[in-house]
PDB file of all heavy atoms in Angstrom:
ATOM      1  N   PRO A  48     -19.106   9.636  13.936  1.00  0.00           N
ATOM      2  CA  PRO A  48     -20.107   9.412  12.884  1.00  0.00           C
ATOM      3  C   PRO A  48     -19.953   8.017  12.281  1.00  0.00           C
ATOM      4  O   PRO A  48     -18.871   7.450  12.274  1.00  0.00           O
ATOM      5  CB  PRO A  48     -19.768  10.493  11.853  1.00  0.00           C
ATOM      6  CG  PRO A  48     -18.343  10.847  12.102  1.00  0.00           C
ATOM      7  CD  PRO A  48     -18.105  10.630  13.563  1.00  0.00           C
ATOM      8  N   SER A  49     -21.033   7.488  11.777  1.00  0.00           N
ATOM      9  CA  SER A  49     -21.012   6.161  11.173  1.00  0.00           C
ATOM     10  C   SER A  49     -20.432   6.242   9.765  1.00  0.00           C
ATOM     11  O   SER A  49     -20.984   6.908   8.893  1.00  0.00           O
ATOM     12  CB  SER A  49     -22.425   5.582  11.106  1.00  0.00           C
ATOM     13  OG  SER A  49     -22.416   4.403  10.329  1.00  0.00           O
ATOM     14  N   PHE A  50     -19.323   5.544   9.561  1.00  0.00           N
ATOM     15  CA  PHE A  50     -18.709   5.522   8.238  1.00  0.00           C
ATOM     16  C   PHE A  50     -19.358   4.473   7.341  1.00  0.00           C
ATOM     17  O   PHE A  50     -19.077   4.396   6.168  1.00  0.00           O
ATOM     18  CB  PHE A  50     -17.200   5.269   8.355  1.00  0.00           C
ATOM     19  CG  PHE A  50     -16.443   6.512   8.705  1.00  0.00           C
ATOM     20  CD1 PHE A  50     -16.283   6.887  10.030  1.00  0.00           C
ATOM     21  CD2 PHE A  50     -15.913   7.324   7.719  1.00  0.00           C
ATOM     22  CE1 PHE A  50     -15.595   8.036  10.359  1.00  0.00           C
ATOM     23  CE2 PHE A  50     -15.226   8.477   8.036  1.00  0.00           C
ATOM     24  CZ  PHE A  50     -15.070   8.833   9.359  1.00  0.00           C
ATOM     25  N   TRP A  51     -20.226   3.645   7.913  1.00  0.00           N
ATOM     26  CA  TRP A  51     -20.910   2.630   7.121  1.00  0.00           C
ATOM     27  C   TRP A  51     -22.033   3.234   6.286  1.00  0.00           C
ATOM     28  O   TRP A  51     -22.384   2.706   5.241  1.00  0.00           O
ATOM     29  CB  TRP A  51     -21.507   1.553   8.030  1.00  0.00           C
ATOM     30  CG  TRP A  51     -20.476   0.667   8.622  1.00  0.00           C
ATOM     31  CD1 TRP A  51     -19.936   0.762   9.871  1.00  0.00           C
ATOM     32  CD2 TRP A  51     -19.827  -0.434   7.993  1.00  0.00           C
ATOM     33  NE1 TRP A  51     -18.998  -0.214  10.068  1.00  0.00           N
ATOM     34  CE2 TRP A  51     -18.921  -0.968   8.924  1.00  0.00           C
ATOM     35  CE3 TRP A  51     -19.916  -1.027   6.740  1.00  0.00           C
ATOM     36  CZ2 TRP A  51     -18.112  -2.066   8.631  1.00  0.00           C
ATOM     37  CZ3 TRP A  51     -19.119  -2.117   6.456  1.00  0.00           C
ATOM     38  CH2 TRP A  51     -18.228  -2.621   7.399  1.00  0.00           C
ATOM     39  N   ALA A  52     -22.576   4.340   6.745  1.00  0.00           N
ATOM     40  CA  ALA A  52     -23.805   4.857   6.145  1.00  0.00           C
ATOM     41  C   ALA A  52     -23.575   5.733   4.922  1.00  0.00           C
ATOM     42  O   ALA A  52     -24.150   5.487   3.869  1.00  0.00           O
ATOM     43  CB  ALA A  52     -24.599   5.613   7.200  1.00  0.00           C
ATOM     44  N   MET A  53     -22.763   6.772   5.036  1.00  0.00           N
ATOM     45  CA  MET A  53     -22.622   7.730   3.947  1.00  0.00           C
ATOM     46  C   MET A  53     -21.679   7.207   2.869  1.00  0.00           C
ATOM     47  O   MET A  53     -20.604   6.705   3.166  1.00  0.00           O
ATOM     48  CB  MET A  53     -22.091   9.048   4.494  1.00  0.00           C
ATOM     49  CG  MET A  53     -23.073   9.774   5.386  1.00  0.00           C
ATOM     50  SD  MET A  53     -22.385  11.339   5.974  1.00  0.00           S
ATOM     51  CE  MET A  53     -21.974  12.141   4.445  1.00  0.00           C
ATOM     52  N   LYS A  54     -22.092   7.354   1.610  1.00  0.00           N
ATOM     53  CA  LYS A  54     -21.280   6.868   0.495  1.00  0.00           C
ATOM     54  C   LYS A  54     -19.895   7.507   0.481  1.00  0.00           C
ATOM     55  O   LYS A  54     -18.888   6.810   0.304  1.00  0.00           O
ATOM     56  CB  LYS A  54     -21.988   7.141  -0.834  1.00  0.00           C
ATOM     57  CG  LYS A  54     -23.153   6.237  -1.098  1.00  0.00           C
ATOM     58  CD  LYS A  54     -23.782   6.554  -2.444  1.00  0.00           C
ATOM     59  CE  LYS A  54     -24.973   5.646  -2.687  1.00  0.00           C
ATOM     60  NZ  LYS A  54     -25.619   5.928  -3.976  1.00  0.00           N
ATOM     61  N   SER A  55     -19.822   8.807   0.648  1.00  0.00           N
ATOM     62  CA  SER A  55     -18.511   9.461   0.572  1.00  0.00           C
ATOM     63  C   SER A  55     -17.605   9.012   1.719  1.00  0.00           C
ATOM     64  O   SER A  55     -16.398   8.874   1.551  1.00  0.00           O
ATOM     65  CB  SER A  55     -18.652  10.979   0.561  1.00  0.00           C
ATOM     66  OG  SER A  55     -19.198  11.451   1.770  1.00  0.00           O
ATOM     67  N   SER A  56     -18.175   8.752   2.881  1.00  0.00           N
ATOM     68  CA  SER A  56     -17.382   8.276   4.017  1.00  0.00           C
ATOM     69  C   SER A  56     -16.902   6.849   3.778  1.00  0.00           C
ATOM     70  O   SER A  56     -15.755   6.508   4.071  1.00  0.00           O
ATOM     71  CB  SER A  56     -18.195   8.345   5.306  1.00  0.00           C
ATOM     72  OG  SER A  56     -18.540   9.681   5.593  1.00  0.00           O
ATOM     73  N   ARG A  57     -17.783   6.005   3.255  1.00  0.00           N
ATOM     74  CA  ARG A  57     -17.386   4.624   2.925  1.00  0.00           C
ATOM     75  C   ARG A  57     -16.238   4.631   1.921  1.00  0.00           C
ATOM     76  O   ARG A  57     -15.312   3.834   2.013  1.00  0.00           O
ATOM     77  CB  ARG A  57     -18.556   3.847   2.334  1.00  0.00           C
ATOM     78  CG  ARG A  57     -19.610   3.424   3.314  1.00  0.00           C
ATOM     79  CD  ARG A  57     -20.731   2.691   2.585  1.00  0.00           C
ATOM     80  NE  ARG A  57     -20.344   1.347   2.232  1.00  0.00           N
ATOM     81  CZ  ARG A  57     -20.574   0.269   2.987  1.00  0.00           C
ATOM     82  NH1 ARG A  57     -21.186   0.397   4.140  1.00  0.00           N
ATOM     83  NH2 ARG A  57     -20.216  -0.911   2.574  1.00  0.00           N
ATOM     84  N   MET A  58     -16.314   5.528   0.949  1.00  0.00           N
ATOM     85  CA  MET A  58     -15.280   5.582  -0.078  1.00  0.00           C
ATOM     86  C   MET A  58     -13.959   6.043   0.508  1.00  0.00           C
ATOM     87  O   MET A  58     -12.900   5.547   0.117  1.00  0.00           O
ATOM     88  CB  MET A  58     -15.724   6.447  -1.245  1.00  0.00           C
ATOM     89  CG  MET A  58     -16.851   5.788  -2.016  1.00  0.00           C
ATOM     90  SD  MET A  58     -16.947   6.360  -3.683  1.00  0.00           S
ATOM     91  CE  MET A  58     -18.534   5.704  -4.174  1.00  0.00           C
ATOM     92  N   LYS A  59     -13.988   6.977   1.438  1.00  0.00           N
ATOM     93  CA  LYS A  59     -12.747   7.404   2.089  1.00  0.00           C
ATOM     94  C   LYS A  59     -12.127   6.235   2.859  1.00  0.00           C
ATOM     95  O   LYS A  59     -10.904   6.050   2.839  1.00  0.00           O
ATOM     96  CB  LYS A  59     -13.012   8.591   3.000  1.00  0.00           C
ATOM     97  CG  LYS A  59     -13.254   9.887   2.243  1.00  0.00           C
ATOM     98  CD  LYS A  59     -13.595  11.023   3.184  1.00  0.00           C
ATOM     99  CE  LYS A  59     -13.813  12.319   2.449  1.00  0.00           C
ATOM    100  NZ  LYS A  59     -15.027  12.350   1.649  1.00  0.00           N
ATOM    101  N   CYS A  60     -12.961   5.454   3.513  1.00  0.00           N
ATOM    102  CA  CYS A  60     -12.457   4.274   4.218  1.00  0.00           C
ATOM    103  C   CYS A  60     -11.903   3.251   3.228  1.00  0.00           C
ATOM    104  O   CYS A  60     -10.866   2.638   3.462  1.00  0.00           O
ATOM    105  CB  CYS A  60     -13.559   3.652   5.070  1.00  0.00           C
ATOM    106  SG  CYS A  60     -13.982   4.648   6.501  1.00  0.00           S
ATOM    107  N   PHE A  61     -12.605   3.099   2.096  1.00  0.00           N
ATOM    108  CA  PHE A  61     -12.098   2.202   1.058  1.00  0.00           C
ATOM    109  C   PHE A  61     -10.729   2.656   0.567  1.00  0.00           C
ATOM    110  O   PHE A  61      -9.834   1.836   0.340  1.00  0.00           O
ATOM    111  CB  PHE A  61     -13.070   2.117  -0.127  1.00  0.00           C
ATOM    112  CG  PHE A  61     -12.395   1.661  -1.390  1.00  0.00           C
ATOM    113  CD1 PHE A  61     -11.988   0.338  -1.522  1.00  0.00           C
ATOM    114  CD2 PHE A  61     -12.114   2.551  -2.404  1.00  0.00           C
ATOM    115  CE1 PHE A  61     -11.315  -0.080  -2.667  1.00  0.00           C
ATOM    116  CE2 PHE A  61     -11.444   2.143  -3.545  1.00  0.00           C
ATOM    117  CZ  PHE A  61     -11.045   0.825  -3.684  1.00  0.00           C
ATOM    118  N   ILE A  62     -10.541   3.959   0.402  1.00  0.00           N
ATOM    119  CA  ILE A  62      -9.258   4.475  -0.071  1.00  0.00           C
ATOM    120  C   ILE A  62      -8.150   4.084   0.909  1.00  0.00           C
ATOM    121  O   ILE A  62      -7.042   3.745   0.499  1.00  0.00           O
ATOM    122  CB  ILE A  62      -9.305   6.006  -0.307  1.00  0.00           C
ATOM    123  CG1 ILE A  62     -10.214   6.321  -1.498  1.00  0.00           C
ATOM    124  CG2 ILE A  62      -7.912   6.589  -0.514  1.00  0.00           C
ATOM    125  CD1 ILE A  62      -9.779   5.700  -2.823  1.00  0.00           C
ATOM    126  N   ASP A  63      -8.442   4.100   2.212  1.00  0.00           N
ATOM    127  CA  ASP A  63      -7.449   3.619   3.179  1.00  0.00           C
ATOM    128  C   ASP A  63      -7.115   2.152   2.925  1.00  0.00           C
ATOM    129  O   ASP A  63      -5.945   1.756   2.985  1.00  0.00           O
ATOM    130  CB  ASP A  63      -7.949   3.810   4.614  1.00  0.00           C
ATOM    131  CG  ASP A  63      -7.815   5.241   5.094  1.00  0.00           C
ATOM    132  OD1 ASP A  63      -7.077   6.019   4.474  1.00  0.00           O
ATOM    133  OD2 ASP A  63      -8.461   5.574   6.107  1.00  0.00           O
ATOM    134  N   LEU A  64      -8.124   1.345   2.632  1.00  0.00           N
ATOM    135  CA  LEU A  64      -7.870  -0.071   2.314  1.00  0.00           C
ATOM    136  C   LEU A  64      -7.023  -0.184   1.052  1.00  0.00           C
ATOM    137  O   LEU A  64      -6.048  -0.936   1.009  1.00  0.00           O
ATOM    138  CB  LEU A  64      -9.189  -0.816   2.079  1.00  0.00           C
ATOM    139  CG  LEU A  64      -9.967  -1.304   3.266  1.00  0.00           C
ATOM    140  CD1 LEU A  64     -11.233  -2.023   2.804  1.00  0.00           C
ATOM    141  CD2 LEU A  64      -9.131  -2.223   4.133  1.00  0.00           C
ATOM    142  N   ARG A  65      -7.426   0.546   0.017  1.00  0.00           N
ATOM    143  CA  ARG A  65      -6.727   0.459  -1.271  1.00  0.00           C
ATOM    144  C   ARG A  65      -5.280   0.926  -1.132  1.00  0.00           C
ATOM    145  O   ARG A  65      -4.359   0.283  -1.644  1.00  0.00           O
ATOM    146  CB  ARG A  65      -7.457   1.313  -2.310  1.00  0.00           C
ATOM    147  CG  ARG A  65      -6.959   1.081  -3.728  1.00  0.00           C
ATOM    148  CD  ARG A  65      -7.642   2.055  -4.683  1.00  0.00           C
ATOM    149  NE  ARG A  65      -7.476   1.718  -6.075  1.00  0.00           N
ATOM    150  CZ  ARG A  65      -6.334   1.805  -6.747  1.00  0.00           C
ATOM    151  NH1 ARG A  65      -5.239   2.195  -6.132  1.00  0.00           N
ATOM    152  NH2 ARG A  65      -6.288   1.489  -8.025  1.00  0.00           N
ATOM    153  N   MET A  66      -5.071   2.040  -0.438  1.00  0.00           N
ATOM    154  CA  MET A  66      -3.716   2.552  -0.242  1.00  0.00           C
ATOM    155  C   MET A  66      -2.908   1.628   0.659  1.00  0.00           C
ATOM    156  O   MET A  66      -1.696   1.475   0.477  1.00  0.00           O
ATOM    157  CB  MET A  66      -3.755   3.972   0.332  1.00  0.00           C
ATOM    158  CG  MET A  66      -4.317   5.015  -0.629  1.00  0.00           C
ATOM    159  SD  MET A  66      -3.363   5.180  -2.148  1.00  0.00           S
ATOM    160  CE  MET A  66      -1.798   5.758  -1.504  1.00  0.00           C
ATOM    161  N   GLY A  67      -3.574   1.001   1.611  1.00  0.00           N
ATOM    162  CA  GLY A  67      -2.890   0.024   2.463  1.00  0.00           C
ATOM    163  C   GLY A  67      -2.432  -1.182   1.664  1.00  0.00           C
ATOM    164  O   GLY A  67      -1.298  -1.662   1.822  1.00  0.00           O
ATOM    165  N   ILE A  68      -3.295  -1.690   0.798  1.00  0.00           N
ATOM    166  CA  ILE A  68      -2.946  -2.831  -0.052  1.00  0.00           C
ATOM    167  C   ILE A  68      -1.794  -2.440  -0.971  1.00  0.00           C
ATOM    168  O   ILE A  68      -0.822  -3.193  -1.126  1.00  0.00           O
ATOM    169  CB  ILE A  68      -4.185  -3.319  -0.838  1.00  0.00           C
ATOM    170  CG1 ILE A  68      -5.161  -3.996   0.129  1.00  0.00           C
ATOM    171  CG2 ILE A  68      -3.783  -4.264  -1.972  1.00  0.00           C
ATOM    172  CD1 ILE A  68      -6.537  -4.286  -0.463  1.00  0.00           C
ATOM    173  N   GLU A  69      -1.880  -1.258  -1.574  1.00  0.00           N
ATOM    174  CA  GLU A  69      -0.803  -0.768  -2.437  1.00  0.00           C
ATOM    175  C   GLU A  69       0.513  -0.683  -1.666  1.00  0.00           C
ATOM    176  O   GLU A  69       1.558  -1.139  -2.141  1.00  0.00           O
ATOM    177  CB  GLU A  69      -1.178   0.602  -2.986  1.00  0.00           C
ATOM    178  CG  GLU A  69      -0.107   1.258  -3.814  1.00  0.00           C
ATOM    179  CD  GLU A  69      -0.471   2.680  -4.203  1.00  0.00           C
ATOM    180  OE1 GLU A  69      -1.634   2.934  -4.581  1.00  0.00           O
ATOM    181  OE2 GLU A  69       0.431   3.547  -4.129  1.00  0.00           O
ATOM    182  N   SER A  70       0.477  -0.133  -0.470  1.00  0.00           N
ATOM    183  CA  SER A  70       1.693   0.020   0.339  1.00  0.00           C
ATOM    184  C   SER A  70       2.276  -1.328   0.729  1.00  0.00           C
ATOM    185  O   SER A  70       3.498  -1.528   0.662  1.00  0.00           O
ATOM    186  CB  SER A  70       1.397   0.845   1.589  1.00  0.00           C
ATOM    187  OG  SER A  70       0.997   2.147   1.248  1.00  0.00           O
ATOM    188  N   ALA A  71       1.426  -2.261   1.137  1.00  0.00           N
ATOM    189  CA  ALA A  71       1.918  -3.588   1.519  1.00  0.00           C
ATOM    190  C   ALA A  71       2.533  -4.296   0.317  1.00  0.00           C
ATOM    191  O   ALA A  71       3.587  -4.940   0.436  1.00  0.00           O
ATOM    192  CB  ALA A  71       0.777  -4.419   2.108  1.00  0.00           C
ATOM    193  N   LEU A  72       1.906  -4.169  -0.840  1.00  0.00           N
ATOM    194  CA  LEU A  72       2.463  -4.773  -2.054  1.00  0.00           C
ATOM    195  C   LEU A  72       3.801  -4.128  -2.425  1.00  0.00           C
ATOM    196  O   LEU A  72       4.748  -4.816  -2.810  1.00  0.00           O
ATOM    197  CB  LEU A  72       1.477  -4.669  -3.212  1.00  0.00           C
ATOM    198  CG  LEU A  72       0.257  -5.585  -3.125  1.00  0.00           C
ATOM    199  CD1 LEU A  72      -0.766  -5.224  -4.205  1.00  0.00           C
ATOM    200  CD2 LEU A  72       0.657  -7.058  -3.220  1.00  0.00           C
ATOM    201  N   LYS A  73       3.903  -2.809  -2.290  1.00  0.00           N
ATOM    202  CA  LYS A  73       5.173  -2.137  -2.568  1.00  0.00           C
ATOM    203  C   LYS A  73       6.250  -2.614  -1.598  1.00  0.00           C
ATOM    204  O   LYS A  73       7.412  -2.788  -1.989  1.00  0.00           O
ATOM    205  CB  LYS A  73       5.011  -0.617  -2.498  1.00  0.00           C
ATOM    206  CG  LYS A  73       4.352  -0.038  -3.729  1.00  0.00           C
ATOM    207  CD  LYS A  73       4.219   1.476  -3.662  1.00  0.00           C
ATOM    208  CE  LYS A  73       3.594   1.993  -4.951  1.00  0.00           C
ATOM    209  NZ  LYS A  73       3.337   3.441  -4.893  1.00  0.00           N
ATOM    210  N   SER A  74       5.878  -2.828  -0.353  1.00  0.00           N
ATOM    211  CA  SER A  74       6.832  -3.340   0.621  1.00  0.00           C
ATOM    212  C   SER A  74       7.357  -4.712   0.190  1.00  0.00           C
ATOM    213  O   SER A  74       8.567  -4.961   0.202  1.00  0.00           O
ATOM    214  CB  SER A  74       6.172  -3.439   2.003  1.00  0.00           C
ATOM    215  OG  SER A  74       7.062  -4.023   2.936  1.00  0.00           O
ATOM    216  N   ILE A  75       6.453  -5.586  -0.217  1.00  0.00           N
ATOM    217  CA  ILE A  75       6.828  -6.944  -0.620  1.00  0.00           C
ATOM    218  C   ILE A  75       7.653  -6.916  -1.906  1.00  0.00           C
ATOM    219  O   ILE A  75       8.694  -7.577  -2.011  1.00  0.00           O
ATOM    220  CB  ILE A  75       5.564  -7.818  -0.770  1.00  0.00           C
ATOM    221  CG1 ILE A  75       4.924  -8.036   0.610  1.00  0.00           C
ATOM    222  CG2 ILE A  75       5.875  -9.146  -1.456  1.00  0.00           C
ATOM    223  CD1 ILE A  75       3.498  -8.545   0.575  1.00  0.00           C
ATOM    224  N   VAL A  76       7.214  -6.147  -2.890  1.00  0.00           N
ATOM    225  CA  VAL A  76       7.931  -6.059  -4.173  1.00  0.00           C
ATOM    226  C   VAL A  76       9.320  -5.460  -3.947  1.00  0.00           C
ATOM    227  O   VAL A  76      10.321  -5.965  -4.479  1.00  0.00           O
ATOM    228  CB  VAL A  76       7.122  -5.238  -5.201  1.00  0.00           C
ATOM    229  CG1 VAL A  76       7.965  -4.902  -6.427  1.00  0.00           C
ATOM    230  CG2 VAL A  76       5.867  -6.009  -5.613  1.00  0.00           C
TER     231      VAL A  76
END
Side-chain angles (χ1 to χ4, degrees):
S49 171
F50 279 86
W51 288 99
M53 292 181 56
K54 286 181 181 180
S55 65
S56 297
R57 285 179 76 93
M58 291 204 192
K59 286 177 179 70
C60 289
F61 158 72
I62 292 300
D63 282 344
L64 278 180
R65 191 185 194 290
M66 293 299 297
I68 289 169
E69 176 186 317
S70 297
L72 288 170
K73 282 181 178 175
S74 176
I75 292 164
V76 169

